[in-house]
Amino acid sequence: MSDLTTPATRPADTASGPERGRRIDGKAFAVSLRKQIAADVVAFHAEYGVTPGLAVVLVGNDPASEIYVRNKALETHHVGMRSFMHMLPETTTEAALLTLIGRLNADPEIHGILVQLPLPNGIDARRITNAIDPKKDVDGLGEVNAGRLSLGLPGLIPCTPLGCLMLLQSELGNLRGLNAVVVGASNLVGKPMALLLLNEGCTVSIVHIDTINPQALTRTADILVVATGVSGLIRHDWVKPGATVIDVGITRVPTASGKTKLVGDVAFDEVAPIAGRITPVPGGVGPMTIACLLQNTLTAARLSLSESA
Amino acid sequence: MSDLTTPATRPADTASGPERGRRIDGKAFAVSLRKQIAADVVAFHAEYGVTPGLAVVLVGNDPASEIYVRNKALETHHVGMRSFMHMLPETTTEAALLTLIGRLNADPEIHGILVQLPLPNGIDARRITNAIDPKKDVDGLGEVNAGRLSLGLPGLIPCTPLGCLMLLQSELGNLRGLNAVVVGASNLVGKPMALLLLNEGCTVSIVHIDTINPQALTRTADILVVATGVSGLIRHDWVKPGATVIDVGITRVPTASGKTKLVGDVAFDEVAPIAGRITPVPGGVGPMTIACLLQNTLTAARLSLSESA
């Protein structure tokens, strides 16, 4: 059950409490969320005669990005939305990409626009992201949606933290008053996650690479969300017994047998016996991200109606 | 020196350490900042032939707001900027106010626009704030500037947290790695303050009305910023010995002699002997707010040039 390489400092803790190490099945949650979205798409079309449409833009030939955009397009299609792919050569200029975004912004059949990151050198990703109409910014990475999240206003929320929040609310219900600690302060996950949890009434701390003694804070967390990209960073003695642990990290590492496997930022085998609930890697947060992109596309389609109403 | 009404729990702490209870003189800092801004305004005009201009808009007859806008206009004038006042009747409609903002947005002599809050009932303050051109949004309260702050991009930062940051950097230098706790999660102070401190490399926690045991976090703070409007909330046992305490609160309370006085959110006489450095109320953060408004107006004038360059 555990492969602790350092002695457990709190054996009594790990044995007590009502429940320990419950796996949060993100894959199953994402399946049911996609089913719900597919039903909502049917109902939305029945009521308004509109089918939500998502445009995904890929520039260049990064193999991982090609897989991501293909999966996004396929899942969009599977829930009954329109899916548009724009695959542009590595030599695409920033000006040409801005022209395409302008055209997609103006296209009434497109409700969501996603430009796959990273972009080739010579293209300013921030300028591109901000050029997307905030009402179509289904990645939630533009300045306006970041501002709306910070101000506690409705808007389009970055997919990964939105997925984490859905899992947390499904497991814990109302989050008000819980101590949440977010490890990692990125624009993509850490900061929006912290703001989302703050808006839900959590007491929120953000721990990052400059933090002197991160364990002192992580050990107080009822909710611990980890998004650092450092595999196995979170050890058993970083976690409060009974905490809900959400592991956003995903890294491919070699195994003893010469193959590779995917691991998270949390040392799962150590932490699972202590945590109340924990997401595995893979099968935890990962499947939620694309499902939330679809959710955001539906939200964006609704926004397009309220705008023209 | 102290009027503790509860026994000191850590007498050894309050007696130890290199320095305790040093007053941070925000008034003197603001005077020197305004002098610097006045010199910068002269240099800016000499180089570009442009005098920064600030438009302040007041709707209605709230007596406190009348004093605030008068002071803002006077201080703008005193540092050599152009100051424009628009005092509109209580009956002003949202549409009329939006028209005025559109005109000010288009006016090349206006570099900063401030609409004094609160606005009368029937006017949507969020809609008004967002209507201000982000490059002229010297209060930093619009969605775009809130987003830029959240994303760690340059922009116009709300005046009060900017003033707090200037005081902290002046006292402590580089803030990287320090534990910062912000008490209060408002859009005006708490949230932007937390994001500013995060961008400076602090480990940041936000404590608020739903926090179960706020002292557990505040007692870990190297930097404690308090903005709740609850006078005297922060007692001696909430503060780590040697901490730097920034008190944003300002409340008028009655005294025993039947007069009134201004007090902060920190029980000053209790906390000063424990804190390393502390801002008094009045004379701490307050004077920095208008000085930072002037700083932002100069920043906005610079932005207007880089835009047309």
Side-chain angles (χ1 to χ4, degrees):
Chain A
M1 184 170 175
S2 163
D3 69 0
L4 296 186
T5 54
T6 54
T9 52
R10 294 176 299 175
D13 285 341
T14 64
S16 71
E19 192 183 31
R20 288 285 182 272
R22 185 172 124 69
R23 269 60 164 176
I24 301 174
D25 189 342
K27 199 169 171 180
F29 193 101
V31 167
S32 87
L33 179 58
R34 285 199 306 267
K35 268 188 198 158
Q36 181 60 51
I37 293 168
D40 290 347
V41 166
V42 171
F44 188 77
H45 184 269
E47 187 160 0
Y48 303 106
V50 173
T51 301
L54 173 67
V56 176
V57 179
L58 172 67
V59 183
N61 301 93
D62 178 62
S65 291
E66 285 176 355
I67 293 169
Y68 294 146
V69 300
R70 191 184 57 202
N71 289 342
K72 288 170 184 175
L74 277 175
E75 292 207 21
T76 307
H77 186 62
H78 288 161
V79 294
M81 297 184 182
R82 289 182 178 171
S83 166
F84 305 88
M85 283 272 277
H86 296 261
M87 304 183 82
L88 310 178
E90 183 86 18
T91 52
T92 303
T93 63
E94 186 176 290
L97 188 52
L98 287 170
T99 301
L100 171 61
I101 289 170
R103 195 154 58 77
L104 297 172
N105 281 341
D107 186 338
E109 297 205 336
I110 305 285
H111 303 97
I113 302 169
L114 183 153
V115 178
Q116 182 68 39
L117 302 178
L119 287 164
N121 290 335
I123 298 185
D124 181 340
R126 174 49 52 195
R127 190 170 297 154
I128 297 301
T129 304
N130 285 338
I132 298 169
D133 181 342
K135 294 198 179 66
K136 299 189 177 189
D137 171 27
V138 285
D139 250 351
L141 298 178
E143 291 171 356
V144 170
N145 282 306
R148 294 187 69 81
L149 175 57
S150 176
L151 295 166
L153 301 170
L156 292 164
I157 294 162
C159 301
T160 299
L162 178 59
C164 294
L165 181 66
M166 283 184 184
L167 292 177
L168 285 167
Q169 289 178 322
S170 165
E171 293 289 327
L172 302 174
N174 188 347
L175 308 182
R176 191 162 300 277
L178 295 178
N179 271 342
V181 177
V182 177
V183 185
S186 70
N187 285 341
L188 202 62
V189 184
K191 281 193 276 187
M193 188 77 245
L195 289 164
L196 272 174
L197 290 166
L198 190 60
N199 289 342
E200 294 299 320
C202 292
T203 300
V204 178
S205 300
I206 309 177
V207 161
H208 49 72
I209 194 149
D210 292 314
T211 299
I212 306 294
N213 181 10
Q215 298 96 314
L217 272 167
T218 59
R219 284 179 71 125
T220 69
D222 304 310
I223 294 170
L224 183 61
V225 182
V226 188
T228 66
V230 181
S231 60
L233 174 70
I234 306 298
R235 306 292 301 271
H236 66 98
D237 56 348
W238 289 51
V239 178
K240 176 178 168 177
T244 299
V245 178
I246 305 288
D247 188 354
V248 180
I250 185 158
T251 310
R252 188 167 289 281
V253 297
T255 63
S257 66
K259 297 187 175 177
T260 65
K261 64 172 182 174
L262 293 172
V263 297
D265 294 352
V266 177
F268 188 87
D269 292 340
E270 283 187 22
V271 171
I274 296 164
R277 301 167 166 90
I278 183 166
T279 58
V281 175
V285 172
M288 289 298 290
T289 297
I290 297 185
C292 285
L293 172 66
L294 306 177
Q295 181 71 62
N296 276 349
T297 303
L298 185 60
T299 301
R302 290 202 177 102
L303 286 175
S304 77
L305 290 182
S306 65
E307 189 185 31
S308 61
Chain B
M1 186 171 180
S2 165
D3 69 359
L4 297 185
T5 54
T6 56
T9 52
R10 294 177 299 177
D13 285 341
T14 64
S16 71
E19 192 183 28
R20 288 285 182 272
R22 186 170 122 69
R23 268 61 164 175
I24 301 175
D25 189 343
K27 199 169 169 182
F29 193 101
V31 167
S32 86
L33 179 58
R34 286 199 306 266
K35 269 188 196 159
Q36 181 60 52
I37 293 168
D40 290 347
V41 166
V42 171
F44 188 77
H45 183 269
E47 189 161 359
Y48 303 105
V50 173
T51 301
L54 174 65
V56 175
V57 179
L58 172 68
V59 183
N61 301 93
D62 179 62
S65 290
E66 285 177 355
I67 293 170
Y68 294 145
V69 300
R70 192 184 57 199
N71 288 343
K72 287 169 184 175
L74 278 174
E75 291 206 21
T76 308
H77 187 61
H78 287 162
V79 294
M81 297 182 182
R82 289 182 179 171
S83 166
F84 306 87
M85 283 271 277
H86 295 261
M87 303 181 82
L88 309 177
E90 184 85 18
T91 53
T92 303
T93 63
E94 185 176 290
L97 188 53
L98 287 169
T99 301
L100 172 62
I101 289 171
R103 195 154 57 77
L104 297 172
N105 281 342
D107 186 338
E109 296 205 336
I110 305 284
H111 304 97
I113 303 169
L114 182 153
V115 178
Q116 183 68 40
L117 301 179
L119 287 164
N121 291 335
I123 298 185
D124 180 339
R126 173 49 52 198
R127 191 170 299 155
I128 297 299
T129 304
N130 285 339
I132 298 170
D133 181 342
K135 293 199 180 66
K136 299 190 177 187
D137 171 25
V138 284
D139 250 351
L141 299 178
E143 290 170 357
V144 170
N145 282 306
R148 295 187 69 82
L149 175 58
S150 176
L151 295 165
L153 301 169
L156 292 164
I157 295 162
C159 301
T160 299
L162 178 58
C164 295
L165 181 66
M166 284 184 184
L167 292 177
L168 286 166
Q169 290 178 320
S170 165
E171 293 289 326
L172 302 174
N174 188 346
L175 307 183
R176 190 162 300 277
L178 295 179
N179 271 342
V181 177
V182 177
V183 185
S186 70
N187 286 340
L188 202 61
V189 183
K191 280 193 274 185
M193 187 78 245
L195 290 164
L196 273 174
L197 291 166
L198 190 61
N199 289 342
E200 294 299 320
C202 293
T203 301
V204 178
S205 300
I206 309 178
V207 160
H208 49 73
I209 194 147
D210 293 314
T211 299
I212 306 292
N213 181 12
Q215 297 97 313
L217 272 168
T218 60
R219 285 178 71 126
T220 69
D222 303 310
I223 294 170
L224 183 61
V225 181
V226 188
T228 66
V230 181
S231 60
L233 175 70
I234 306 298
R235 305 293 301 271
H236 65 97
D237 55 348
W238 289 50
V239 178
K240 176 178 168 177
T244 299
V245 178
I246 305 288
D247 187 354
V248 180
I250 186 158
T251 310
R252 187 168 289 281
V253 297
T255 64
S257 66
K259 297 186 175 176
T260 66
K261 63 172 183 174
L262 293 172
V263 298
D265 293 354
V266 177
F268 188 87
D269 293 339
E270 283 187 22
V271 171
I274 296 163
R277 301 168 168 89
I278 183 167
T279 57
V281 176
V285 172
M288 290 298 291
T289 297
I290 297 185
C292 286
L293 173 65
L294 306 177
Q295 181 71 63
N296 276 349
T297 303
L298 184 60
T299 301
R302 290 202 177 103
L303 287 175
S304 75
L305 291 181
S306 66
E307 189 185 31
S308 61

